Amino acid sequence: MADSAQAQKLVYLVTGGCGFLGEHVVRMLLQREPRLGELRVFDRHLGPWLEELKTGPVRVTAIQGDVTEAHEVAAAVAGAHVVIHTAGLVDVFGRASPETIHEVNVQGTRNVIEACVQTGTQFLVYTSSMEVVGPNTKGHPFYRGNEDTLYEAVHRHPYPCSKALAERLVLEANGREVHGGLPLVTCALRPTGIYGEGHQIMRDFYRQGLRLGGWLFRAIPASVEHGRVYVGNVAWMHVLAARELERRAALMGGQVYFCYDGSPYKSYEDFNMEFLGPCGLQLVGARPLLPYWVLVFLAALNALLQWLLRPLVLYAPLLNPYTLAVASTTFTVSTDKAQRHFGYEPLFSWEDSRTRTILWVQAAGSSAQ
Ligand SMILES: NC(=O)c1ccc[n+]([C@@H]2O[C@H](COP(=O)([O-])OP(=O)(O)OC[C@H]3O[C@@H](n4cnc5c(N)ncnc54)[C@H](O)[C@@H]3O)[C@@H](O)[C@H]2O)c1
Ligand SMILES: C[C@@H](CO)CCC[C@@H](C)[C@H]1CC[C@H]2[C@@H]3[C@H](O)C=C4C[C@@H](O)CC[C@]4(C)[C@H]3CC[C@]12C
């Protein structure tokens, strides 16, 4: 790129910028993107914390909008150089209908792509998910896999189906001509289960443990490993990918990258105990306290109750056949593709990530008292 262009200040748009990941992406951009001139934060629900960011040197524009509304998306995208599309409906508990999940995750992504094409925005980073790959419904382990590992991806649940469709739209859009004649450059990042400050499920487990007198009960064998990734590192990977898409368009365009860092591979419950343990909780049982078939039965019962009660009340417990299958299937990632393609190295060590998360859980727990 020419020197004059290097000095140019860029306009970034973050969709879903007030969500768990989105807030970290927003803050990371402000801290680590020297070319940032304006940051647009687009979300259906704007957070009050955005106000404090408006006093800094970078112009921060909060836009309340809905990705399913094409005209709202187009207005937000117009004039942006880079879009980080992280808005999504994350629901594996049956809170939203399959149609709504599809509308937000697939049609919303289509609207973002079309807005880029119509308004001439050239760079698009999409937050995909590990669930585009798996775990599949057959319970096949994905062990230390990378972006090229062969795996039978079978999606039935609306959330992974929607993420897979949306990711495909983003990758297929790479190379399309945008307004002004230049090509659109896209890539997709696939986080595994994200943890860190703002992680609601972690906070819910903590509160549940407090209610149970400080105990949590093992349900999943310790041998089932999950890859988890710290939210600060996921945000950092988004910022780097967005920055490097321009310089390395030929290499990165149309590519997918798992999000990874140095977090240890552990079972979902043992990993959570890395944070909940220092907050005073204990996980009871070296082995699951209930036989697996009982969990399968309870998960099926929850699904039935959800269906029966739907006309009256929303019943959406943590345990359902899908979450049980995900929690019971090994899914770990081992790759260096992002490092090779755009120089990604985790910004936060495991020790830092752990400490930051523990401090947040402690604060979130005490504010609930
Ligand atoms: N949390 C995880 O473990 C995880 C793992 C892999 C991928 N992801 C992906 O990361 C992204 C962010 O997830 P998160 O965990 O931060 O979820 P989140 O629910 O905290 O954040 C999503 C944000 O999108 C916004 N949003 C939802 N519907 C919208 C709409 N119609 N229009 C505009 N904004 C809308 C929400 O208000 C929210 O602020 C999602 O795309 C999700 O699929 C999350
Ligand atoms: C059986 C319970 C006993 O304690 C444990 C249930 C845990 C489940 C609720 C979670 C286990 C794995 C989680 C998912 C995983 O971390 C990856 C995800 C990808 C992301 O795109 C969305 C969130 C999630 C689906 C995440 C959701 C919660 C789990 C199923």
Side-chain angles (χ1 to χ4, degrees):
M1 199 183 17
D3 282 351
S4 61
Q6 255 166 10
Q8 185 195 3
K9 288 290 183 186
L10 301 181
V11 178
Y12 273 65
L13 169 70
V14 181
T15 71
C18 293
F20 165 42
L21 172 61
E23 177 176 348
H24 285 265
V25 172
V26 163
R27 293 185 186 277
M28 187 65 71
L29 278 168
L30 290 168
Q31 285 164 19
R32 300 256 170 187
E33 183 43 66
R35 295 196 302 165
L36 191 63
E38 182 190 346
L39 178 54
R40 298 180 187 166
V41 182
F42 181 98
D43 204 299
R44 215 149 70 97
H45 305 288
L46 296 176
W49 53 271
L50 275 175
E51 289 308 309
E52 99 210 23
L53 304 183
K54 291 185 179 168
T55 54
V58 171
R59 181 173 166 200
V60 176
T61 313
I63 307 170
Q64 183 166 24
D66 189 326
V67 287
T68 65
E69 298 293 337
H71 65 282
E72 294 182 5
V73 179
V77 170
H81 297 96
V82 184
V83 175
I84 298 180
H85 176 40
T86 190
L89 192 43
V90 185
D91 181 19
V92 290
F93 305 112
R95 292 178 189 137
S97 71
E99 294 75 22
T100 307
I101 294 174
H102 182 92
E103 185 67 9
V104 174
N105 293 351
V106 183
Q107 188 55 40
T109 302
R110 195 175 278 125
N111 290 343
V112 170
I113 294 167
E114 292 309 320
C116 289
V117 170
Q118 283 160 25
T119 66
T121 297
Q122 231 199 311
F123 304 103
L124 170 62
V125 176
Y126 173 61
T127 314
S128 182
S129 168
M130 76 177 202
E131 290 197 65
V132 163
V133 180
N136 64 21
T137 43
K138 298 179 177 176
H140 294 158
F142 187 85
Y143 184 76
R144 313 288 190 261
N146 65 26
E147 291 83 353
D148 298 320
T149 302
L150 292 178
Y151 186 79
E152 194 183 342
V154 189
H155 308 296
R156 277 206 215 111
H157 191 278
Y159 174 73
C161 285
S162 70
K163 294 302 283 186
L165 280 172
E167 183 189 270
R168 179 140 38 99
L169 290 177
V170 169
L171 301 180
E172 285 175 358
N174 182 62
R176 270 182 75 182
E177 188 177 305
V178 303
H179 180 76
L182 292 167
L184 180 63
V185 188
T186 67
C187 74
L189 307 186
R190 293 173 174 168
T192 53
I194 307 174
Y195 70 93
E197 305 95 299
H199 186 207
Q200 297 310 316
I201 302 179
M202 183 84 75
R203 198 190 57 184
D204 293 347
F205 272 113
Y206 182 49
R207 290 182 178 169
Q208 188 188 358
L210 291 180
R211 278 197 301 274
L212 296 173
W215 306 104
L216 287 171
F217 301 94
R218 188 185 293 280
I220 306 295
S223 56
V224 176
E225 288 185 347
H226 273 235
R228 304 281 288 273
V229 61
Y230 176 61
V231 66
N233 287 324
V234 180
W236 175 230
M237 193 189 271
H238 279 71
V239 170
L240 261 188
R243 183 189 297 166
E244 295 298 321
L245 259 187
E246 182 172 16
R247 225 156 46 90
R248 308 184 197 217
L251 179 64
M252 293 175 64
Q255 294 289 324
V256 295
Y257 303 93
F258 277 118
C259 290
Y260 53 92
D261 63 13
S263 305
Y265 304 117
K266 288 186 171 221
S267 77
Y268 191 79
E269 290 164 331
D270 286 300
F271 190 83
N272 285 353
M273 288 313 292
E274 289 283 346
F275 320 103
L276 303 180
C279 294
L281 299 197
Q282 285 199 48
L283 183 62
V284 180
R287 293 187 181 172
L289 297 187
L290 296 173
Y292 185 65
W293 68 264
V294 176
L295 285 179
V296 172
F297 174 77
L298 290 175
L301 186 65
N302 278 341
L304 179 67
L305 285 174
Q306 180 171 78
W307 182 73
L308 289 174
L309 294 174
R310 196 173 283 284
L312 304 171
V313 66
L314 177 64
Y315 175 67
L318 214 57
L319 183 69
N320 64 46
Y322 182 75
T323 57
L324 179 61
V326 176
S328 315
T329 306
T330 288
F331 198 97
T332 55
V333 166
S334 175
T335 174
D336 62 355
K337 184 174 175 185
Q339 195 273 327
R340 286 185 283 109
H341 280 207
F342 55 95
Y344 163 78
E345 294 285 353
L347 194 59
F348 301 93
S349 66
W350 159 238
E351 289 70 29
D352 278 352
S353 310
R354 184 170 177 271
T355 306
R356 285 166 174 263
T357 307
I358 291 169
L359 290 174
W360 177 79
V361 174
Q362 282 169 341
S366 57
S367 68
Q369 303 294 300

